[in-house]
């Protein structure tokens, strides 16, 4: 093997090892400014699972920027007095997450199609013209990752 070829292999190996080491650090340290949109559209069971996912996400990355976008039956957990199957009010969890910077968007098309009114929802809800359009906007224009529990 020539000296030039040997040198190139050593250089390649050094770059590969350095690259692996730096990517390993990011795996061990997941804290950073990740942007994630969680899509809720399937009712209370999905909301329960999704809110748990959001809590878990924040536990390992408290700097994550998270938006929950709800439409169709996915808005139900944000209605006043809604409770999970164990009788726990969703509003308590939503308030806690909102205080940690999570945004909760409700689709206005869903309100119209289901003849729901904004006064039926908890104060922590914000409203967007279309849930699916908001999800697409966050992904395409703002670089949010998409998760659907």
């Amino acid at each position: 093997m020539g000296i030039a070829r040997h040198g190139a292999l050593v250089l390649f190996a050094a770059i590969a090892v350095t690259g692996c080491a730096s990517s390993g650090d990011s795996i061990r340290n997941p804290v950073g400014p990740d942007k994630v949109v969680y899509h809720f559209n399937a009712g209370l069971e999905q909301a329960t699972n999704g809110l748990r996912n959001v809590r878990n996400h924040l536990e390992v990355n408290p700097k994550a920027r998270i938006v929950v976008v709800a439409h169709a039956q996915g808005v139900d957990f944000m209605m006043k007095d809604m409770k999970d199957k164990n009788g726990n009010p969703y509003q308590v969890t939503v308030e806690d997450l909102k205080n940690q910077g999570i945004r909760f968007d409700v689709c206005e098309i869903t309100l119209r199609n289901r003849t729901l009114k904004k006064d039926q929802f908890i104060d922590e809800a914000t409203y967007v013209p279309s849930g699916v359009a908001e999800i697409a906007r966050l992904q395409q224009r703002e670089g949010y990752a998409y998760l659907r529990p």
Side-chain angles (χ1 to χ4, degrees):
M1 174 182 305
I3 292 176
R5 186 171 174 173
H6 178 72
L9 286 174
V10 169
L11 179 61
F12 177 76
I15 291 169
V17 168
T18 304
C20 289
S22 66
S23 66
D25 289 343
S26 66
I27 291 171
R28 285 184 293 251
N29 184 10
V31 177
D34 299 337
K35 299 186 296 185
V36 182
V37 57
Y38 281 80
H39 179 192
F40 291 13
N41 70 333
L44 297 180
E45 184 176 348
Q46 181 197 34
T48 299
N49 293 334
L51 292 170
R52 184 183 63 249
N53 291 164
V54 171
R55 281 186 180 280
N56 292 344
H57 197 144
L58 288 174
E59 181 180 328
V60 297
N61 187 1
K63 292 184 179 181
R65 290 178 28 202
I66 297 174
V67 179
V68 174
V69 178
H71 68 97
Q73 282 65 44
V75 305
D76 293 353
F77 81 101
M78 284 194 278
M79 296 181 77
K80 291 178 180 173
D81 301 322
M82 291 303 288
K83 296 179 180 179
D84 67 19
K85 66 180 180 180
N86 297 317
N88 301 308
Y90 284 104
Q91 185 170 3
V92 173
T93 301
V94 172
E95 283 174 354
D96 179 51
L97 292 171
K98 180 124 182 168
N99 288 335
Q100 294 180 65
I102 308 308
R103 190 175 86 208
F104 291 87
D105 291 344
V106 172
C107 172
E108 291 179 334
I109 292 174
T110 294
L111 298 183
R112 184 184 70 221
N113 290 345
R114 293 182 57 192
T115 62
L116 299 171
K117 303 290 182 215
K118 289 181 181 179
D119 65 3
Q120 293 176 271
F121 289 84
I122 60 178
D123 293 337
E124 292 74 21
T126 54
Y127 300 90
V128 293
S130 166
V132 293
E134 181 64 5
I135 291 167
R137 186 188 72 75
L138 288 168
Q139 287 182 274
Q140 292 297 314
R141 297 186 203 166
E142 296 192 30
Y144 277 66
Y146 173 85
L147 292 174
R148 184 173 180 271

